[in-house]
Amino acid sequence: MRDYQAYLIDLDGTMYKGKSPIPEAANFIEELKKRQIPFRFVTNNSSRTPEVTVGKLKKFDIDAEVHQVMTASLATARYLKEQQNHVRAFVIGEVGLTQALENEGIEIVEDDPDYVVVGIDRNNSYRKLRDACVLVQNGAGFVATNPDIKVPTEKGLVPGNGAFIQLIENVTGKRPEVVGKPTGLMLQVALEELGVEAKDAIMVGDNYLTDIKAGINAGMDTLHVQTGVTTKDELAGYGTQPTYTVETLSEWFH
Amino acid sequence: MRDYQAYLIDLDGTMYKGKSPIPEAANFIEELKKRQIPFRFVTNNSSRTPEVTVGKLKKFDIDAEVHQVMTASLATARYLKEQQNHVRAFVIGEVGLTQALENEGIEIVEDDPDYVVVGIDRNNSYRKLRDACVLVQNGAGFVATNPDIKVPTEKGLVPGNGAFIQLIENVTGKRPEVVGKPTGLMLQVALEELGVEAKDAIMVGDNYLTDIKAGINAGMDTLHVQTGVTTKDELAGYGTQPTYTVETLSEWFH
């Protein structure tokens, strides 16, 4: 195991599992702090603000600071700001997204936007989707916080942001720029913020198809942990393997 | 040209083109009446009631009666009624669909439905789509009025019912029973109502991929008219050809 200069860390399946704690997670974070290794939590969730995520982690005895949480919404806002000086955005999304955009000085508009930005929106409507489709056809850029098609809940699978992205794609024929995992874009934004190069950092997560793929796409080493979605057996069936895989995070710092 | 016992006739592209008349259409309908040949207009539109369609046709000097309009919504209601004695349906749709279902004695419910029925709904919302996904996962049948993914408007392409059907399919992994064109189901319902067998009837329409395919799927002869979507050149590129193709409907009765 190399001495990495920064860790990017997934949440669900890695730090906790739904509403249940993963006992080894809190120690792992404490160890990073003790060794003074910078880290960021990286999450595809675009509706929650970093403040809410910090509160959620606290329930699992994990102490995080707001600036240590990188959401797909924050990364989207940073990404847009890098594209041009003043950005006008038509937005489908909740407070986690609108707040992130406003904090970066992005103007939220109904008409004539530079970009149509789409995150999960539990108040989504026919009208919003129709307007997004028309604006994308008229030439606005099309940016998606994250591509997750379905989200597990107690009641069953419910539509995730990717389901609505796919709908807009099906109607317009245009493909979005996707910021969240499994692309490497959100991870690159987090590494820029940390001032660490991809080759010197490691991505930690349980889900091969999102976390590990994103790490690989960002040019990072990757640590797969078997406490979540992808089992050790499933992992073996995938192409490019993660740099490491562990049963729990307690195996890591020894 | 054979003496067909019934005609099923598409609307847009065949009887009118958007807001413009197709001059040969009114004469074609008059000729059917003069010859006392029964006919039905068959439309994938699930939001308009037959009454509204009759009013629209009148603007183009085409006199139709309400019972001569078969919509995907009416056909869906008949189809459901044939499945079982008392049907409870969770419905995404507008008045054209809810009225058709209620007229057939189908109970519209929020919980514990036998079927999830999906037609275009300009008041569609995240909540409705989420509930539909959960109910389909819990075992409710999944029925779609029509599969049109995009609909042309003056402002551009907007999402059609098929875009939402696809979303529910992507989340649940379940495929719907589709009533509207290009399946033959709506045409079969219209023919049952007329008491005419498929082999003795002809389907008339401009769009190969919806009208002509539906006719073929229903086991009918087909008449393609070159006043709408599919040109003569495009038509030649498709597999199974229509029984006939004409430049305009004025060529037909001679």
Side-chain angles (χ1 to χ4, degrees), chain A residues 124-126 137 157 159 171, chain B residues 124-126 137 150 157 159 171:
Chain A
N124 210 339
S125 65
Y126 184 84
Q137 284 168 82
L157 296 165
V171 174
Chain B
N124 211 339
S125 66
Y126 185 85
Q137 284 167 81
K150 44 199 170 187
L157 296 165
V171 173

Side-chain angles (χ1 to χ4, degrees), chain A residues 5 39 60 75 88 107 119 130 150 157 208 212 219 222 230:
Chain A
Q5 290 177 29
F39 62 91
F60 300 116
R88 293 163 55 87
E107 189 184 354
R130 179 200 63 191
K150 44 200 171 188
L157 296 165
Y208 180 83
I212 303 305
T222 53
T230 307

